Amino acid sequence: MLRPAALLAAFTTATLATAVHAGDAFVLHTWKKVKLTDQFYAEGASFGDFDKDGKTDVVIGPHWYAGPDFTAKPHEYRPVKAYDPKGYSDCFFTFTHDLNGDGWTDILVYGFPGKDASWYANPQGKDGPWTRNKVFDVVDNESPTWGDLTGDGKPEIIHTTGGRMGWVEPDWKDPTKPWTFHPVSEKGGWQKFSHGLGWGDLNGDGKADFLMPEGWWEQPASLTGDPLWTKHPGKFHSGAQIHVVDIDGDGDADVVASKEAHGYGLCWFEQTAKGVFTERLIMGSKPEENAYGLKFSQLHAIDVIDIDGDGVKDIVTGKRYWAHGPGGDAEPAAPAVLYWFRTVRGPKGVEFVPYQIDNDSGVGTQVVAGDVTGDKLPDIVVGNKKGGFVFIHEAKPVDEATWKAAQPKLR
């Protein structure tokens, strides 16, 4: 759909157009960058239809931006405060859900690691601040998440607290009351700044398991009485969100993770035998460790989604800009890149083809991919120390020469 000329100034074409060969058609994937703000409000962002107009909106920090163009004046839903990018914000993660069941999408925020989780009740189209409901005091880990861990059809806060892994759920009859923590493990050494956490069905029993850098915890047959889950030692690294996905298409679950949040490395773990996971490096600290000569640091957030529509999930990640300020970590002054890695299955195994989406945004502690525009193409939402962004995904058929020109070159 063509946008009015007056709105085109809000968009910049991403650095590299990417193309995918689908069957007999050559499809070019491009990204248009909408910069919502240049202020540092948050390191997490998400999307949802907050005004019930049938168009998806975006939330970053204290504002939500009305879709489909996101160019109108942003709406404040909580007190506005911009932060110095040399420091930190009070919003590391943002999720959306109709928590009170009134038909309006609410906003759930996890603050600085070790701080609270609060949700903001949508005022059903009325102006003014949304009512804050503080529901849990301490959400630890730098990669906590929100999903249906228990299989009851409703999401939970999945995290650590007080040195224990577990989940927090509301009383869905009154989610404004304090939420209840359910432990998965004995008390361990996990603290608020621990990195790496995920969930998914690793053993194929239909129940989601809990993943940490030290291994995975198998969900028992029944959760009645809060039994501890069975630990299976392993090594999934500790950089960002840990994802469970069948990478190689052999029918069992594999794992995707970054090796370090503040260093280098992206990898996947192939389930080479039942319950045995073998590390496969995608990108390391040296260009020669990647088939395309690619390296970048500080992969503090990862999402997985099928970008090109081939039925196989791809990887979205990038560099977290100034995670510890301008003088900390590896290459803090390097471009804040955002990439997607196309998962290509072939006779010699799995290849990951890297396509740069942008080189002046990166990720935060969260990066969220999903269909924001309603065209069934995954878009990407980012909030971080560079500001707030929506990357709108477009696809069009092209000739073979154009497709080949858009492909990244092997090292």
Side-chain angles (χ1 to χ4, degrees):
M1 180 182 295
L2 294 177
R3 296 175 174 82
L7 296 179
L8 293 180
F11 296 85
T12 58
T13 302
T15 305
L16 177 66
T18 61
V20 175
H21 181 201
D24 295 328
F26 292 91
V27 180
L28 186 70
H29 293 258
T30 58
W31 303 83
K32 290 186 176 179
K33 178 180 178 180
V34 186
K35 189 169 188 176
L36 303 179
T37 179
D38 61 2
Q39 297 294 302
F40 172 36
Y41 291 118
E43 299 226 43
S46 193
F47 58 87
D49 182 4
F50 302 119
D51 52 5
K52 292 190 73 172
D53 67 349
K55 306 295 183 183
T56 301
D57 313 306
V58 169
V59 54
I60 298 175
H63 298 113
W64 66 271
Y65 301 78
D69 298 306
F70 316 108
T71 55
K73 182 180 178 181
H75 301 264
E76 299 176 9
Y77 76 92
R78 64 186 183 98
V80 175
K81 181 180 179 180
Y83 293 86
D84 184 341
K86 295 179 182 178
Y88 305 98
S89 76
D90 68 347
C91 175
F92 269 51
F93 293 87
T94 301
F95 303 94
T96 62
H97 192 79
D98 178 10
L99 285 158
N100 55 11
D102 65 353
W104 294 77
T105 302
D106 308 304
I107 298 172
L108 175 67
V109 173
Y110 306 167
F112 189 80
K115 299 295 185 180
D116 66 89
S118 296
W119 69 274
Y120 294 81
N122 192 319
Q124 301 182 353
K126 302 180 182 68
D127 292 329
W130 297 19
T131 300
R132 179 189 178 191
N133 301 281
K134 181 181 176 181
V135 292
F136 196 74
D137 288 333
V138 179
V139 176
D140 286 339
N141 195 281
E142 293 199 26
S143 307
T145 190
W146 171 249
D148 184 12
L149 177 70
T150 64
D152 65 354
K154 297 178 180 179
E156 299 92 24
I157 298 174
I158 307 170
H159 68 128
T160 64
T161 189
R164 305 182 80 181
M165 299 159 35
W167 79 91
V168 173
E169 65 179 352
D171 174 353
W172 288 100
K173 295 179 181 178
D174 186 0
T176 65
K177 294 179 180 178
W179 294 10
T180 302
F181 177 67
H182 300 269
V184 164
S185 69
E186 299 279 6
K187 189 170 183 177
W190 305 293
Q191 41 86 18
K192 61 184 178 180
F193 297 129
S194 295
H195 291 67
L197 185 151
W199 64 285
D201 182 7
L202 272 186
N203 59 358
D205 65 354
K207 295 180 178 294
D209 307 302
F210 202 121
L211 282 73
M212 293 290 283
E214 302 87 350
W216 60 284
W217 280 252
E218 181 180 349
Q219 183 172 162
S222 172
L223 297 177
T224 302
D226 283 345
L228 297 182
W229 297 18
T230 301
K231 180 181 179 180
H232 299 270
K235 181 62 177 175
F236 295 133
H237 298 305
S238 57
Q241 293 80 11
I242 303 171
H243 291 278
V244 175
V245 57
D246 183 4
I247 288 291
D248 51 11
D250 64 356
D252 59 24
D254 308 303
V255 173
V256 172
S258 66
K259 292 175 73 70
E260 297 181 39
H262 304 291
Y264 298 91
L266 177 66
C267 60
W268 70 286
F269 293 83
E270 180 183 0
Q271 189 165 181
T272 49
K274 189 173 181 61
V276 177
F277 296 88
T278 302
E279 180 180 344
R280 311 294 188 197
L281 187 67
I282 299 172
M283 181 180 67
S285 61
K286 301 175 182 178
E288 54 266 31
E289 292 178 304
N290 177 263
Y292 297 85
L294 179 66
K295 78 172 180 73
F296 57 85
S297 64
Q298 302 194 64
L299 287 74
H300 210 299
I302 296 176
D303 205 356
V304 293
I305 195 168
D306 181 8
I307 293 287
D308 55 357
D310 65 352
V312 180
K313 287 189 176 180
D314 308 299
I315 302 170
V316 177
T317 188
K319 179 185 180 70
R320 182 186 174 197
Y321 177 71
W322 280 13
H324 291 137
D329 307 312
E331 297 187 288
V337 295
L338 180 66
Y339 271 83
W340 72 280
F341 290 77
R342 180 162 59 102
T343 306
V344 181
R345 299 168 179 165
K348 295 183 179 180
V350 181
E351 179 186 6
F352 296 87
V353 184
Y355 298 97
Q356 188 180 106
I357 297 168
D358 187 59
N359 70 352
D360 192 24
S361 55
V363 299
T365 50
Q366 183 181 26
V367 60
V368 175
D371 183 7
V372 174
T373 59
D375 60 1
K376 298 183 180 180
L377 294 173
D379 309 297
I380 299 170
V381 179
V382 173
N384 61 15
K385 295 181 180 183
K386 286 280 188 176
F389 310 89
V390 180
F391 292 91
I392 295 177
H393 179 194
E394 296 182 345
K396 63 178 181 180
V398 295
D399 58 43
E400 183 176 359
T402 301
W403 182 83
K404 286 182 175 179
Q407 298 307 295
K409 302 300 185 287
L410 288 165
R411 182 170 49 85

